[in-house]
Amino acid sequence: MTLPFPEPQTAEAKHFFEAAAQGRLALQRCADCARIWFYPRPACVACGAERYAWIVASGRGRVHSHSIVHRAPSPAFRERVPYVVALVDLEEGPRMMANIVGDDALEVAIGDAVEVLFEERGEGRKLPQFRRTRR
């Protein structure tokens, strides 16, 4: 069974997922106050300005919090349990939710260093996920 993929509902979300399909973690930076934010939106979360640029994030961060899911929320996830859902503090500042994947994902701890990877979700679509690193 194919895992679900979020359908982009805005131009900003579409840009984010197009970048992910190319292996890039794209974030927005305000042209007025320089704040960087995630999730994609049409205006700055700090000052409300509608002028921004897309930047390519380093893909590095640290685990802020996590939870291990033992019960699949839908049949599509049955074969994946247990799996880790985490809040990741990116080096650039924003916090994003994603899965921690890899052979040692279940050993994740708050403060662990992680790096982005892009999980295939069919039809050329990719979803940013993270794996633990040793830095």
Side-chain angles (χ1 to χ4, degrees):
M1 184 173 282
T2 303
L3 290 174
F5 186 86
E7 290 300 326
Q9 300 297 313
T10 66
E12 295 81 19
K14 184 176 180 189
H15 183 97
F16 174 81
F17 285 114
E18 286 172 351
Q22 298 170 9
R24 294 180 288 123
L25 183 60
L27 301 175
Q28 294 163 283
R29 175 185 286 145
C30 181
D32 290 353
C33 74
R35 175 78 172 262
I36 299 172
W37 69 87
F38 179 82
Y39 64 89
R41 334 171 197 210
C44 177
V45 298
C47 72
E50 295 179 1
R51 297 179 334 115
Y52 60 85
W54 287 94
I55 64 166
V56 177
S58 68
R60 294 184 300 270
R62 296 219 172 252
V63 174
H64 175 80
S65 183
H66 71 280
S67 180
I68 299 175
V69 178
H70 292 276
R71 182 179 233 172
S74 72
F77 288 91
R78 275 196 194 121
E79 307 230 349
R80 302 225 11 175
V81 293
Y83 62 89
V84 179
V85 176
L87 292 174
V88 174
D89 290 332
L90 299 173
E91 281 187 354
E92 292 79 7
R95 180 175 291 158
M96 70 183 291
M97 183 180 289
N99 295 120
I100 305 296
V101 298
D103 294 339
D104 63 350
L106 296 177
E107 299 166 26
V108 68
I110 292 171
D112 279 357
V114 293
E115 65 184 3
V116 75
L117 58 91
F118 295 89
E119 182 180 80
E120 294 279 344
R121 288 287 178 102
E123 299 176 21
R125 300 183 295 190
K126 296 180 183 178
L127 194 63
Q129 307 286 26
F130 288 85
R131 67 178 154 230
R132 297 171 70 217
T133 64
R134 303 288 179 241
R135 57 180 173 93

